[in-house]
Amino acid sequence: MQALIIDKLEVATPDPGPGEIRVRVRAAAVNFPDLLMTRGEYQFRPPLPFISGMELSGDIDALGEGVEDWQVGDAVVGGAKTGAFAEYSVMAADQFRRKPARFSYSEAAGSGAAYLTAYVALVRRARVQPGEWVLVHGAAGGVGLACVDLAKLLGCRVIAASASDAKLEIVKAAYSPDAVVNVTHGFREAVKAITGGRGADVIYDPVGGDIFDESVRCIAFDGRLLVVGFTSGRIPSISVNMPLIKGFSVVGVRAGEYGRQFPERGVENRDAVWALAEEGRIRPRVHAEFPLADWRAAFELLANREVVGKAVIRPGLG
């Protein structure tokens, strides 16, 4: 059976080991994989018990043996697969970089994974060119909104897609996509009309399910359909005659794995994203902030698809 078991009310503040730093967490972003991990539905299943949370920003509180590039008090941003939703977090020092001065702690915490995913998808996997039409599904979510922002920066023509007119209005006001489409009653005809009948050159799909199925019907010849995730809950399939006849590619996107397979390019990817952050050329949106005690509300906001951008947990609030 499943059960809610209270093991401890508090845990000891951890000490950093060799090569590690301890960070006083100022902000930690809530990501869809965090939600899936708490349900046991993510491909990575940490051993129990574990502290959830992948991305954080904060101030270095203590240094482990051998750490020379950091000082206590430095403001940093980084993360790992778990450990961010806490007042203090200990992680490897090489998982962090300096927090961009232009960003708040919450903006910094919510930038890394989303913009890295968008960068790998658009630059590495799709090799987008200025002027190409990019259809972004789930455009109000964290990874979708980052893609809208980055695609515009790269000179693409962007169609932001969502099932909510209210969310699309926020996206329009904040990021000025070239067009918006509500997908509730279908979208392929609208996309074809917007693109002059050709279809989208690149389709960014973190949703899967029916959204993927219909995307096949409105992609341009030589287009790239980017498979980013399956927030719909259904993993779609495709008859391979469709890419053959329509001359498009189905391309998988795993930003972290891309960096592990190609370490030099992985470093280049991260450096490029954070350089854009330092220059103020990307603009992450924080939807809401919650104290650590209200983590359930943050998770529910994400689960109910009410977020435009990022929900962030702030251990120092409340």
Side-chain angles (χ1 to χ4, degrees):
M1 70 174 189
Q2 293 183 326
L4 179 61
I5 300 173
I6 308 302
D7 184 51
K8 295 180 181 179
L9 295 178
E10 293 185 353
V11 296
T13 301
D15 292 320
E20 295 180 331
I21 60 174
R22 184 172 68 204
V23 177
R24 182 179 180 186
V25 180
R26 303 293 189 181
V30 182
N31 292 291
F32 201 70
D34 298 322
L35 180 64
L36 293 179
M37 271 190 258
T38 64
R39 299 172 174 174
E41 297 174 359
Y42 195 57
Q43 57 259 37
F44 170 69
R45 298 189 178 186
L48 300 175
F50 68 94
I51 297 172
S52 186
M54 300 170 62
E55 292 186 284
L56 64 86
S57 66
D59 303 316
I60 294 178
D61 176 72
L63 304 174
E65 181 183 350
V67 176
E68 298 178 351
D69 295 333
W70 295 109
Q71 295 182 356
V72 171
D74 285 344
V76 294
V77 58
K81 292 181 178 179
T82 59
F85 299 154
E87 293 177 313
Y88 294 89
S89 183
V90 169
M91 296 181 183
D94 61 8
Q95 295 300 305
F96 289 87
R97 63 179 60 229
R98 297 191 185 279
K99 181 182 77 66
R102 296 173 184 268
F103 282 5
S104 68
Y105 285 103
S106 292
E107 289 170 335
S111 299
Y115 279 91
L116 182 63
T117 299
Y119 186 89
V120 171
L122 294 173
V123 176
R124 297 295 191 179
R125 304 296 282 145
R127 297 182 175 91
V128 293
Q129 300 299 313
E132 287 193 309
W133 281 105
V134 177
L135 170 61
V136 182
H137 289 300
V143 295
L145 203 58
C147 186
V148 171
D149 191 15
L150 185 59
K152 287 291 292 183
L153 180 62
L154 294 171
C156 301
R157 293 178 288 179
V158 177
I159 306 170
S162 170
S164 166
D165 286 332
K167 289 181 180 179
L168 287 173
E169 286 300 317
I170 295 173
V171 175
K172 283 172 60 178
Y175 295 94
S176 302
D178 297 272
V180 297
V181 173
N182 188 313
V183 302
T184 304
H185 301 296
F187 57 88
R188 63 178 175 176
E189 294 303 327
V191 171
K192 287 183 178 179
I194 291 167
T195 59
R198 186 170 186 274
D201 299 291
V202 174
I203 299 180
Y204 182 89
D205 180 18
V207 181
D210 295 344
I211 293 296
F212 178 92
D213 294 342
E214 191 166 353
S215 293
V216 170
R217 306 292 179 175
C218 61
I219 190 166
F221 194 89
D222 202 30
R224 290 82 82 202
L225 204 171
L226 301 169
V227 180
V228 182
F230 312 105
T231 60
S232 69
R234 179 171 74 84
I235 299 175
S237 59
I238 185 172
S239 297
V240 294
N241 66 312
M242 293 298 292
L244 171 64
I245 293 168
K246 301 192 70 176
F248 69 88
S249 302
V250 179
V251 184
V253 178
R254 292 180 64 198
E257 186 61 25
Y258 187 94
R260 286 185 285 273
Q261 293 291 331
F262 308 107
E264 289 186 5
R265 282 182 245 170
V267 172
E268 292 171 0
N269 296 341
R270 292 189 295 273
D271 287 348
V273 167
W274 290 110
L276 293 174
E278 288 285 2
E279 295 163 5
R281 299 177 69 195
I282 55 175
R283 298 168 296 127
R285 183 180 191 273
V286 176
H287 182 90
E289 298 176 318
F290 298 86
L292 184 58
D294 288 344
W295 64 270
R296 290 180 183 83
F299 273 51
E300 287 173 5
L301 204 67
L302 192 67
N304 295 334
R305 289 169 166 71
E306 297 173 3
V307 177
V308 181
K310 286 286 188 176
V312 175
I313 290 174
R314 296 286 307 275
L317 290 180

